[in-house]
Amino acid sequence: MRLSIIRKITGSLALAGLIAYTMSLPSSPTAQLPAPVPPPASLPLASVLPEEPMLIAGPSIGADTPLPVVPARRGHIIDHCFNADTELSAPILRRQNAVITAALNQDWEIVRKLIDAGAPVETADETGLTSLMVAAKQGNMEMLRTLVEREARLDFMDFEGRTALHYALAAGKHEALELLLSLMPNFQPSRDLLTAALASGNMKIFEVILARFPGTLEWTPETRRALEVALKADMREQVRLLLNKHSTPPTREGGIVPLIAYAIANDEAPLFHALLACGSDPNVALPKAAEKEFMSLLQNKYLRLYIENETGVNLLMLAAGLGRTDYVRALLDAGADRRQSTPKHKMLPLYFAAWTSNWKCVQLLLGGGPMPEELRVEISLAKQHATVIKDGVTIFTTQVSTGRQGYDTPAGHFVITDKDRDHVSTIYKVAMPYFMRLNCRDFGMHAGVVPQYPASHGCIRLPGDAAKKLFSDLPVGTVVMIN
């Protein structure tokens, strides 16, 4: 009986001592603690109770026992958790835990202590959020560097596939984004990150992320929109980067004709020059099955015919066929090949220009020629007379015979495109000495019978001596004005 009373008194004293010690600590929120395990009945009380009252820290922390999470901040109590018996080097936690809670509360000193004590740097909550993502979202540059030094994985993703880069970008922490990218020299971002960068409205960040992609991208509505924004803002570096990162030239949404071809057809000079200056291929060919919207812009029926039925019609041929001299000159300056022809009919850009009677385009594609004010030939259909004018002074005149009725010689401004001393007509099988072809077409100037009236099949006949002199004095590229 006495022994039972002694045991009860001893137990009460021990419990009172423990309560008194606990009450002396600062208060903390109530937490559900595991129920105490009663001692086996067969063991004596002396073997169960410690020799002296003490506070037991509890079991080691492992994968199945994460640090308890409470909303209060008791840093000095947390300090007591780190002792020689605490085990924190457990696998990554995917649940609510102290590391992420401290990070979200910006208690970064506690985060450091937890990690230094062995908590995995990749510790994540139930959504996959890590402390690195939190630091990126908050734009905490110092903590980002600290976590990276602790070997935090920069490509670690949450359950929605987002990395720290996504969090920094979404929060508008561009400095943090640039830091992370600088630490990831071999990182290749996903398309959704590129889309998010564009949505941020910061074209500089978009440029930084786009630069990480290989040059094999396909155009999407997002990248087309980025190109449009860059072009409107005259952001040449971004335009150049977008063009370089795509394997094909940009087109309109749902179309197949290059955007630069539309610029030529619509006479949109700023767009054309911007695309060309930023690296658009000057030799790109138009698709054979061009969309109707594009074809409706072309007034030249020969040009439309060849685009519809011939492959290999390129930008230079398009500009030449439309008689757009400035575009022809810009394309040539950018490296367009004037000798490139279509594969089937061997059409050169020069031939397309010849249809337009635009002597400037023809001269450019020939490679040169005297300006009309320097040297030109004027032919009067009414007077059947030709005049050579050099530097504003008439230096030679002669009678001519032009095309008779039904074979009228066309009026307009033409250019001597080639010369053949012993030419023979492929149509009429007759000799046409000193032949000077005009605009690569089926007529020109040559020696022949010259009555006092139009008598030819469309060519301009010259007296023998006059034909020989003009053949010698007039270089290829000379302008001939027929009125």
Side-chain angles (χ1 to χ4, degrees):
M1 182 66 179
R2 291 180 180 177
L3 181 60
S4 175
I5 294 172
I6 292 172
R7 286 179 177 176
K8 289 181 179 179
I9 294 172
T10 304
S12 298
L13 290 172
L15 180 59
L18 182 60
I19 292 173
Y21 182 85
T22 304
M23 292 295 290
S24 67
L25 296 174
S27 61
S28 62
T30 303
Q32 291 185 350
L33 298 177
V37 180
S42 60
L43 294 177
L45 182 62
S47 65
V48 177
L49 294 174
E51 295 180 1
E52 298 181 4
M54 64 178 293
L55 183 64
I56 300 175
S60 296
I61 299 175
D64 298 326
T65 56
L67 289 173
V69 177
V70 294
R73 300 180 181 180
R74 298 289 184 266
H76 63 288
I77 295 179
I78 292 176
D79 289 339
H80 289 297
C81 296
F82 303 111
N83 54 51
D85 297 327
T86 303
E87 175 57 50
L88 288 170
S89 57
I92 298 171
L93 302 177
R94 292 286 193 178
R95 63 186 70 178
Q96 190 179 21
N97 61 80
V99 175
I100 302 305
T101 300
L104 289 172
N105 290 331
Q106 302 189 44
D107 290 333
W108 292 108
E109 188 58 35
I110 293 176
V111 174
R112 285 192 185 90
K113 290 181 179 180
L114 289 168
I115 294 174
D116 289 343
V121 73
E122 304 299 352
T123 296
D125 67 5
E126 63 273 11
T127 67
L129 183 71
T130 67
S131 54
L132 184 69
M133 297 172 188
V134 177
K137 183 178 181 180
Q138 296 175 0
N140 190 323
M141 305 296 289
E142 179 184 356
M143 200 61 203
L144 281 174
R145 294 187 178 92
T146 298
L147 291 169
V148 171
E149 289 172 0
R150 304 288 201 282
E151 299 184 353
R153 285 177 52 191
L154 300 173
D155 59 347
F156 195 92
M157 295 186 291
D158 65 10
F159 290 162
E160 295 185 7
R162 297 172 299 183
T163 66
L165 284 170
H166 289 80
Y167 280 89
L169 183 59
K173 305 298 182 182
H174 299 147
E175 186 178 359
L177 182 67
E178 290 181 354
L179 172 63
L180 290 169
L181 286 171
S182 70
L183 297 171
M184 306 166 70
N186 299 319
F187 174 68
Q188 291 189 357
S190 58
R191 272 196 173 272
D192 66 313
L193 187 63
L194 187 65
T195 301
L198 178 61
S200 73
N202 189 315
M203 290 300 290
K204 185 64 178 177
I205 291 298
F206 177 79
E207 178 184 354
V208 171
I209 294 176
L210 181 62
R212 296 299 185 96
F213 281 85
T216 56
L217 294 178
E218 296 295 330
W219 289 99
T220 65
E222 291 77 18
T223 53
R224 284 190 180 91
R225 183 160 58 88
L227 180 64
E228 181 181 357
V229 170
L231 285 168
K232 285 184 177 179
D234 197 28
M235 304 170 72
R236 295 295 178 92
E237 289 303 316
Q238 283 84 350
V239 173
R240 184 175 289 106
L241 186 60
L242 279 162
L243 296 180
N244 289 340
K245 291 298 180 180
H246 289 80
S247 57
T248 57
T251 62
R252 290 185 174 185
E253 187 66 34
I256 58 175
V257 175
L259 189 61
I260 192 170
Y262 269 100
I264 296 172
N266 273 324
D267 196 14
E268 297 180 71
L271 175 60
F272 167 78
H273 289 293
L275 289 170
L276 195 62
C278 291
S280 285
D281 182 3
N283 291 303
V284 69
L286 304 181
K288 187 175 179 180
E291 53 257 32
K292 292 181 179 179
E293 181 183 1
F294 176 76
M295 297 300 292
S296 67
L297 300 173
L298 310 179
Q299 301 302 315
N300 187 315
K301 65 178 182 179
Y302 295 106
L303 181 59
R304 289 199 307 272
L305 181 65
Y306 273 96
I307 292 177
E308 289 172 349
N309 296 281
E310 175 77 287
T311 59
V313 177
N314 58 31
L315 297 179
L316 189 58
M317 297 172 187
L318 173 64
L322 292 172
R324 304 206 189 283
T325 306
D326 291 341
Y327 296 82
V328 169
R329 182 181 292 107
L331 287 165
L332 290 172
D333 290 343
D337 186 1
R338 63 166 58 91
R339 296 177 298 276
Q340 186 171 332
S341 64
T342 59
K344 184 178 180 180
H345 294 102
K346 307 302 179 185
M347 291 292 292
L348 291 167
L350 176 62
Y351 302 160
F352 287 87
W355 297 330
T356 68
S357 297
N358 185 322
W359 64 268
K360 292 181 180 179
C361 281
V362 176
Q363 274 194 343
L364 282 171
L365 293 168
L366 277 173
M371 291 293 100
E373 58 269 23
E374 298 171 344
L375 180 66
R376 69 181 183 273
V377 178
E378 292 185 359
I379 297 175
S380 171
L381 296 174
K383 296 179 180 179
Q384 296 289 286
H385 188 271
T387 304
V388 179
I389 301 173
K390 184 177 182 179
D391 297 326
V393 178
T394 298
I395 61 172
F396 183 77
T397 61
T398 183
Q399 286 296 120
V400 299
S401 178
T402 59
R404 66 179 184 265
Q405 188 175 2
Y407 297 91
D408 298 318
T409 299
H413 292 186
F414 302 92
V415 176
I416 298 174
T417 50
D418 63 88
K419 299 194 293 185
D420 182 2
R421 180 171 181 171
D422 301 310
H423 181 70
V424 176
S425 171
T426 57
I427 300 175
Y428 303 106
K429 310 301 181 184
V430 295
M432 295 180 174
Y434 304 107
F435 187 78
M436 294 164 276
R437 189 180 300 277
L438 300 179
N439 277 37
C440 306
R441 292 166 66 172
D442 57 357
F443 79 105
M445 301 184 293
H446 63 84
V449 177
V450 181
Q452 299 297 315
Y453 54 85
S456 77
H457 286 85
C459 286
I460 299 97
R461 294 181 188 174
L462 302 167
D465 291 343
K468 182 177 181 180
K469 177 176 177 57
L470 295 184
F471 188 90
S472 174
D473 294 348
L474 300 178
V476 169
T478 300
V479 175
V480 178
M481 300 177 177
I482 303 176
N483 304 303

